[in-house]
Amino acid sequence: AKQIMSQKRGVALLQARAINQDMPPRCMALVALGGDADLERLQSLILSDCGLDPIVLPRGPVTFPVAQGKQRATLIVCSREVTNVLDAAKVADIVVAVLPASSGLDDTGRILLSALRAQGLPSVIAVLQGMAALSMKQRNDTRKAFLKLVEHEFSQDTKLLAVDEPQDVNALMRQAALQRI
């Protein structure tokens, strides 16, 4: 009886996983809004968190499993050109706006941001890079300043996450998996 139950449970799990595999992947576009934003580092952190080898970073979109294999995500890394960012935002479910804590939003980032808002934004997650290099007081002040910027430029429900270390990527991927699109 136990063997039959475990077989039925295994079949049910395989069917549930097959249903999730038929779902399209979440498309995430990484957009640098500051000149010091390091998208390649963020991409390698995300890929290594999901169990892929980040030694050789692929060119173009890459699809990988997230949330313990229950979902898939496609990652698009955008250059800082308006047309590339707008094209990526058209197809993306989530735009990950990457802001460097040291320099913040620059002129090109403002142009990209206004173009994105004019086109219409999908869901947005804001990521701060470089917070680990700041002192605790500077971290708090910087976080407050960028939180005001994010709430003003995007919406009130936009999350602001600091991603510098591999353990910080878990929060980003969890938010991306749970984000309403």
Side-chain angles (χ1 to χ4, degrees):
K2 276 189 173 182
Q3 193 174 20
I4 293 172
M5 280 180 40
S6 68
Q7 285 176 345
K8 285 183 182 179
R9 185 177 300 133
V11 169
L13 283 173
L14 287 175
Q15 287 175 346
R17 288 183 184 140
I19 289 171
N20 286 337
Q21 291 298 322
D22 292 340
M23 293 175 50
R26 290 264 170 121
C27 188
M28 298 169 47
L30 299 181
V31 178
L33 295 180
D36 295 336
D38 190 2
L39 296 183
E40 288 181 358
R41 168 130 170 88
L42 183 60
Q43 181 187 17
S44 68
L45 285 173
I46 290 171
L47 293 178
S48 64
D49 183 62
C50 295
L52 298 177
D53 186 17
I55 303 287
V56 178
L57 292 177
R59 293 230 179 254
V62 59
T63 302
F64 52 92
V66 294
Q68 292 82 32
K70 295 179 185 173
Q71 274 187 320
R72 293 178 301 152
T74 299
L75 197 63
I76 301 172
V77 179
C78 302
S79 63
R80 288 176 46 95
E81 296 175 12
V82 176
T83 55
N84 290 345
V85 171
L86 291 178
D87 287 343
K90 281 181 195 174
V91 298
D93 297 319
I94 300 168
V95 170
V96 180
V98 183
L99 295 158
S102 59
S103 61
L105 194 64
D106 63 359
D107 292 336
T108 306
R110 290 185 197 285
I111 292 169
L112 292 174
L113 194 55
S114 67
L116 282 170
R117 279 188 294 168
Q119 174 179 294
L121 276 170
S123 297
V124 177
I125 300 173
V127 170
L128 268 176
Q129 281 186 330
M131 292 286 280
L134 302 175
S135 69
M136 192 57 84
K137 181 172 178 9
Q138 287 176 326
R139 282 184 200 174
N140 292 335
D141 294 341
T142 304
R143 183 163 182 79
K144 286 178 186 177
F146 278 109
L147 194 57
K148 281 185 180 180
L149 173 77
V150 165
E151 287 176 352
H152 177 342
E153 296 293 339
F154 301 115
S155 65
Q156 295 289 332
D157 60 342
T158 300
K159 288 282 190 179
L160 178 66
L161 303 170
V163 178
D164 287 318
E165 302 297 323
Q167 60 268 21
D168 300 333
V169 177
N170 282 333
L172 172 64
M173 296 311 294
R174 188 177 328 111
Q175 181 65 33
L178 298 175
Q179 185 92 10
R180 209 174 226 181
I181 52 174

